[in-house]
């Protein structure tokens, strides 16, 4: 019935909220961090893996959600973001946040051993 469906959805939302609030670690994509279910979550520590393959706006989503510490992992000399729209690429979206920071003088730390 409609009432059962409504009750189910409410229970599901409540359970999701409980699980997210109890979690020590939440793994998501950068864009997934903007999901409405995470709107009350503050990501104080953010690690973005393969961040050189993400566009700058994508990387900013979890960062603006309360980041106090940020780790960007990637190789700015490898493949950058894939931007299909030529106009968007020309406007600067082909540059990752990592690349921008390196261009601004932030020195990346290189791993001596890769696991």
């Amino acid at each position: 019935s409609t009432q059962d469906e409504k009750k189910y959805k409410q229970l599901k939302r409540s359970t999701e909220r409980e699980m997210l609030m109890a979690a020590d670690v939440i793994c998501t994509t950068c864009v997934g961090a903007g999901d409405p279910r995470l709107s009350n979550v503050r990501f104080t520590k953010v690690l973005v893996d393969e961040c050189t393959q993400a566009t700058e706006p994508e990387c900013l989503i979890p960062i603006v959600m309360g980041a106090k510490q940020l780790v960007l992992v990637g190789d700015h000399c490898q493949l950058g973001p894939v931007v299909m729209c030529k106009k968007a690429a020309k406007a600067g979206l082909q540059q990752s946040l990592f690349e921008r920071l390196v261009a601004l003088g932030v020195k990346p730390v290189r791993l001596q051993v890769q696991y």
Side-chain angles (χ1 to χ4, degrees):
S1 74
T2 306
Q3 191 160 7
D4 287 339
E5 187 176 339
K6 189 176 180 180
K7 190 173 182 179
Y8 166 75
K9 286 181 180 180
Q10 183 181 7
L11 184 60
K12 182 179 174 192
R13 279 193 303 272
S14 174
T15 304
E16 285 175 346
R17 194 172 24 257
E18 265 183 57
M19 291 173 67
L20 288 168
M21 296 322 246
D24 293 325
V25 175
I26 297 174
C27 297
T28 181
T29 62
C30 289
V31 173
D35 186 291
R37 292 172 291 186
L38 298 174
S39 63
N40 293 324
V41 177
R42 294 293 148 247
F43 296 108
T44 55
K45 294 169 181 67
V46 175
L47 183 141
V48 182
D49 192 20
E50 299 295 349
C51 70
T52 57
Q53 293 181 19
T55 65
E56 193 169 359
E58 285 175 309
C59 281
L60 290 175
I61 295 169
I63 295 170
V64 300
M65 295 184 72
K68 302 272 187 250
Q69 295 177 311
L70 173 65
V71 177
L72 301 176
V73 180
D75 184 349
H76 63 289
C77 297
Q78 297 284 330
L79 177 69
V82 176
V83 180
M84 302 300 287
C85 174
K86 289 180 184 178
K87 194 173 184 180
K90 232 177 160 179
L93 284 182
Q94 81 281 358
Q95 183 182 43
S96 69
L97 177 61
F98 194 106
E99 288 174 292
R100 179 183 298 279
L101 292 172
V102 169
L104 290 171
V106 176
K107 285 194 171 253
V109 176
R110 293 194 184 269
L111 295 176
Q112 300 303 313
V113 177
Q114 186 170 0
Y115 295 95

